Amino acid sequence: MSQIKSVVVFCGGSAGKKEIFTKEAFRMGQILAEYNVQLIYGAGGTGMMRAVADGALSEDGYVIGATIQSLYAIERPDLTTKIQKMEVWQTMYDRKVSMTKQADAVCILPGGFGTMDELFEVLTLRQLGISHQPIVIVNTDGFYNTLKKFLEEMVDMGFAKPYQLNLIRFVDSVEDVMPMIRSEMKKAEQEKVKQGNSDA
């Protein structure tokens, strides 16, 4: 099976109203470091983004931050002096392209509009066959229950196909993220072998 070298984590720059959100984000960073997997994140020095980076750094993980010039000039979070690599782009589009191109998989933690934008962009790219990274959504404390129901309603109303729901995977805990990524990558490789055999 292909080695997982890096995972991009999209999440909120805010902490949310429940301690479990930042607690799980911190643990997500730790888990990636424990698996010797690089963390790619939005370079924020607050909220969920701060927590996931702090988690990785607490276990001597390798962290890549990606932001845009206008945000970095304003925030200049102290965390950016601790991470191993900092990328500063001119546009949000360039930032997202860089983050996803470097990653073997995508992890979505709770977040706001920016996180939703990132989720639906990578989901659309998977739908179109432009990218093939596993997409895992961590449904911390039921945060994404409504989103899951909404996606199912898209299918029920004929605006999406049932197979498209399989392009993303929901898990309840960050502890389930890496096993799910490994499972999805294994399925993808088996499908490639199956397709190759059928073409022979």
Side-chain angles (χ1 to χ4, degrees):
M1 188 172 65
S2 298
Q3 183 181 359
I4 305 169
K5 298 179 181 178
S6 59
V7 171
V8 59
V9 175
F10 291 124
C11 58
S14 297
K17 292 186 176 181
K18 296 183 178 181
E19 184 181 354
I20 191 173
F21 294 138
T22 51
K23 184 177 179 180
E24 282 278 273
F26 186 89
R27 180 61 187 142
M28 186 70 248
Q30 286 184 314
I31 289 170
L32 293 178
E34 289 167 4
Y35 275 87
N36 197 29
V37 172
Q38 293 180 356
L39 164 67
I40 304 169
Y41 87 117
T46 59
M48 298 283 287
M49 283 198 277
R50 174 70 186 237
V52 72
D54 277 342
L57 293 171
S58 74
E59 297 293 332
D60 297 321
Y62 191 93
V63 180
I64 300 172
T67 187
I68 58 173
Q69 186 66 51
S70 58
L71 289 179
Y72 184 58
I74 295 171
E75 295 178 351
R76 294 207 177 270
D78 65 293
L79 185 63
T80 61
T81 64
K82 301 175 184 177
I83 65 177
Q84 288 83 354
K85 183 178 179 182
M86 184 70 188
E87 299 178 351
V88 182
W89 299 93
Q90 291 300 312
T91 69
M92 291 293 284
Y93 176 78
D94 291 335
R95 168 182 169 270
K96 285 185 291 186
V97 168
S98 173
M99 294 172 77
T100 53
K101 284 182 71 174
Q102 294 181 72
D104 297 309
V106 177
C107 174
I108 309 291
L109 299 179
F113 292 152
T115 305
M116 294 303 97
D117 170 66
E118 290 153 348
L119 166 60
F120 281 103
E121 179 154 342
V122 295
L123 177 56
T124 301
L125 292 176
R126 275 219 63 183
Q127 174 190 333
L128 296 174
I130 296 173
S131 70
H132 303 281
Q133 297 111 320
I135 303 170
V136 180
I137 299 175
V138 183
N139 190 24
T140 304
D141 199 42
F143 181 83
Y144 283 115
N145 285 345
T146 304
L147 173 64
K148 189 175 182 180
K149 183 178 179 181
F150 177 60
L151 295 174
E152 291 169 350
E153 288 183 354
M154 280 186 179
V155 173
D156 291 341
M157 295 297 174
F159 289 100
K161 304 295 183 183
Y163 82 89
Q164 292 171 321
L165 295 182
N166 293 325
L167 299 177
I168 53 177
R169 296 297 183 192
F170 288 85
V171 297
D172 293 325
S173 168
V174 293
E175 303 290 344
D176 300 321
V177 171
M178 290 302 294
M180 179 61 75
I181 291 174
R182 289 181 180 276
S183 175
E184 290 298 292
M185 292 180 75
K186 184 177 180 179
K187 288 178 185 177
E189 291 178 359
Q190 290 174 340
E191 189 61 33
K192 284 183 181 180
V193 171
K194 182 179 179 181
Q195 186 64 41
N197 291 337
S198 63
D199 292 340

